[in-house]
Amino acid sequence: MHSPVLVLKDSLKRESGTKVHHANIQASKAVADIIRTTLGPRSMLKMLLDASGGIVVTNDGNAILRELDVAHPAAKSMIELSRTQDEEVGDGTTSVIVLAGEMLHVAEEFINKNYHPTVICRAYNKALEDAVAVLDTIAMPIDANDLLGLVKSCIGTKFTSQFGDLLADLAIDATTTVGVDLGQGLREVDIKKYIKVEKVPGGQLEDSRVLKGVMFNKDVVAPGKMRRKIVNPRIILLDSPLEYKKGENQTNAELVKEEDWGVMLKIEEDYIENLCMQIVKFKPDLVITEKGLSDLACHYLSKAGVSAIRRLRKTDNNRIAKACGAVIVNRPDELQESDVGTGAGLFEVKKIGDEFFAFIVDCKDPKACTVLLRGASKDLLNEVERNLQDAMSVARNIIKNPKLVPGGGATELTVSATLKQKSSSIEGIEKWPYEAAAIAFEAIPRTLAQNCGVNVIRTMTALQGKHANGENAWIGIDGNTGAISDMKEGKIWDAYNVKAQTFKTAIEAACMLLRIDDIVSGIKKKQAPGSGQAPSKPQIETEADADSEQILHD
């Protein structure tokens, strides 16, 4: 007999075959169970402590998973799912995880029966194609003006649903403001660049509003001398410093005569005066620069009755440019009349809480806006901001692709019923996993029912019965009461591309995880010889001892 050959090092762990499949499925189910209770209007909140001791209270699937520190590789890829979903469509982060977890759960029994994973994947992909086809048939087009009900149903599941229409209105206002027509009926909404969310603790949530313009927390440079309220201001935006340029590297000037010193200072002053005169020539009321502004320049400007703001963030400057129609100028001597922004109706500096904020509002046709959020505590504001983010994404999706599918689990039930019927016509071994995928779609209405606290089995059978004969695709669960109702009447809708993306992401991820049949772990970086694994144990103990000694000292 030959002696056994060692290929892998001792320190490597290798798991292969069905063991891996089971481990992956367990891990994914664990992740799905963490956020299962946060689906639907009756959802619970999760409280997370992050590393620095801050608290996050949220029920946004992505926000929860982002904070988790997960060891298992399969669970990590599940967490990636919700992130993709959040970046792509901004909503449905929870449903993606629940659905993917369920898909893997139903695949488990096939693996026990020694089905080959590729067979299961083939069936799943077939199911996915058919599911998207079903979505197309039940989707109904909608005019983009009917946004409110839609956005409301998407925020209905969030913590802020108690403030009802307030957030939905904010989101719709903001997204319709910054929407840009690309022609051919397409609209592009850039949430990240042109919608700024300013959180100011204090006041009440009802005071939140969308400004027809921008705000930023800066005050004018010389508060006593410059005007703080200007109606119909002419705004000039600069990207250059209004101060004397120093030499690039250290420059030494040798002066022979005393008067030369005066001459040099005079040159500096003239330079700045020249700069300011070029600007004042255009009779602006407000000059904003991203860079510094020296005292002297400040003096010249305030003498001319111009208010000035310095050291503004570049992103804020872009927003102001979009809002009032100004052009950001890099050199004062290149100013033209067309660069002056006249679109704003009012500039004023207000004190909110204990900081000064500059408002440039009442713009004629703003292409950028600021959402001002007020609220009692920082945690509350963070949660509201996350919900607002979701709401704006939904509004953006509808503006881009105005198609609706029913919410409340109705879509999933319809898809499930259709796939069940189709499964009988599928030949060969793929029929069973296909049918299982159909059943997996029911995870979402089932979870909704669980979170409402109704009798899950009865509700589900009633719903399946209603959908099996295919009479009405819009029957689902009313998430608040758990009653079975028509989603059209309850105005419970989801955006089409959110649903499609959810299905695609979930099934593709399930396939990917099923295809893994080998995990090799413990691949370490090359260590210095002699520093093996052995000494790690006692070290830990000594550290703990040292800690306790320290405490005694105090």
Side-chain angles (χ1 to χ4, degrees), residues 451-518:
N451 289 348
C452 297
V454 290
N455 186 329
V456 179
I457 301 174
R458 272 194 200 153
T459 315
M460 286 308 292
T461 31
L463 279 172
Q464 284 162 355
K466 283 221 167 35
H467 277 275
N469 48 19
E471 54 189 68
N472 187 351
W474 290 74
I475 301 269
I477 300 177
D478 180 340
N480 284 315
T481 56
I484 295 175
S485 59
D486 188 342
M487 295 293 132
K488 260 195 190 127
E489 289 155 20
K491 296 225 157 130
I492 304 179
W493 291 328
D494 270 336
Y496 166 79
N497 53 353
V498 173
K499 271 278 179 279
Q501 182 73 27
T502 309
F503 288 177
K504 284 176 193 158
T505 317
I507 291 187
E508 280 164 16
C511 288
M512 189 188 74
L513 286 176
L514 283 176
R515 279 215 164 103
I516 299 171
D517 74 330
D518 217 324

Side-chain angles (χ1 to χ4, degrees), residues 239-252:
D239 189 9
S240 59
L242 293 180
E243 49 197 356
Y244 190 69
K245 268 205 198 65
K246 307 207 173 46
E248 286 295 317
N249 35 22
Q250 284 188 325
T251 27
N252 292 334

